[in-house]
Amino acid sequence: MKLLMVFDFDHTVVDDNSDTWVIRSLPGQKLPDSVKSTYRKGCWTEFMGRVMNYIGEQNVSLDRVRGVMETIPFTAGMKDLLKFISAHDNTDCVVISDSNTIFIDWILNASGLRAAVDQVFTNPATVNESGYMEVQHHHSHDCERCPVNLCKRKVLELYLSDQLKRGVEYQQIFYVGDGGNDLCPTSCLRGCDVVMPRKGYTLEKLLTRQGRQQEDVSLRAKVVAWSTGTEILEELKKSLQS
């Protein structure tokens, strides 16, 4: 029996949005209105494809982009938390994010923390023949609550199913996130599990609202809000000692 830590990435592991942080690689550090105006609600991945295309058209090298991405700050206490997880064989760790594979790998590798994460589930990114970065949907799904490119509940359920086939069963799951797209996966957590929303962010507000309205019959997990990785680490240590 093991523990599983599930992390969102933007505004959770790192203390900003990796997709908007990349704009700092541009000479003027901002997008023109001609690009910003192309965003459509629910189609962020397609929008990021146009952003990366524009960055490439401005002759910004991938080395420059990588250098900028490697400066994104980690959330306070998160590095220590990931180092602790990495040192404990009975704790698995996955990231489920609406960022992309290249950004997350760059950031984790630069910090020396890539080995702390067993698997990353996010939108696949590649470099095309022109040297520009392209981003694709992680998968397709039929969940009406989630963005068209990613349902984190589906990802988590498939991961747990695959692990069970390998003989790995989790005694407890910690789900750590901040955003609206982190609400859906909380519905597949059990009473022994813990959902940890970041204080002051969308996920905490949604969970609080549902608790007041007593509509969330699907949420069985314990809710523990956090501000720093240190607080998450304290909760994890309590479970490991119990």
Side-chain angles (χ1 to χ4, degrees), residues 5 62 65 101 104 116 145 150 152 167 182 193 202 218 223:
M5 299 294 299
L62 280 181
V65 174
T101 52
I104 293 177
R145 295 198 291 179
L150 177 65
K152 293 188 176 185
D182 292 310
D193 299 327
T202 302
S218 63
V223 178

Side-chain angles (χ1 to χ4, degrees), residues 86-228:
S86 182
H88 285 74
D89 292 337
N90 64 337
T91 304
D92 289 345
C93 177
V94 300
V95 166
I96 308 177
S97 167
D98 205 1
S99 181
N100 66 72
T101 52
I102 290 179
F103 284 178
I104 293 177
D105 280 346
W106 279 346
I107 294 165
L108 290 178
N109 283 325
S111 66
L113 293 169
R114 183 62 185 86
V117 180
D118 297 300
Q119 289 194 56
V120 175
F121 301 95
T122 186
N123 301 302
T126 55
V127 178
N128 65 21
E129 294 178 353
S130 301
Y132 301 174
M133 213 177 92
E134 295 182 341
V135 186
Q136 306 296 325
H137 287 189
H138 174 70
H139 62 186
S140 60
H141 62 84
D142 56 6
C143 177
E144 296 181 354
R145 295 198 291 179
C146 292
V148 65
N149 61 294
L150 177 65
C151 172
K152 293 188 176 185
R153 176 182 52 79
K154 180 178 180 180
V155 171
L156 180 55
E157 288 176 340
L158 285 173
Y159 174 79
L160 294 174
S161 175
D162 288 343
Q163 288 293 87
L164 195 56
K165 291 175 183 175
R166 297 186 182 99
V168 179
E169 185 177 358
Y170 293 106
Q171 178 180 345
Q172 191 174 35
I173 300 169
F174 287 79
Y175 188 97
V176 185
D178 72 282
N181 64 351
D182 292 310
L183 181 63
C184 188
T186 66
S187 64
C188 69
L189 299 178
R190 306 157 300 180
C192 60
D193 299 327
V194 183
V195 53
M196 302 196 70
R198 189 172 184 180
K199 290 179 181 176
Y201 284 72
T202 302
L203 179 59
E204 184 194 28
K205 294 173 183 176
L206 290 172
L207 290 170
T208 300
R209 183 187 309 158
Q210 290 191 349
R212 282 199 308 264
Q213 297 172 348
Q214 296 183 333
E215 291 178 353
D216 192 14
V217 294
S218 63
L219 181 63
R220 299 180 295 275
K222 176 184 176 183
V223 178
V224 179
W226 64 277
S227 294
T228 69

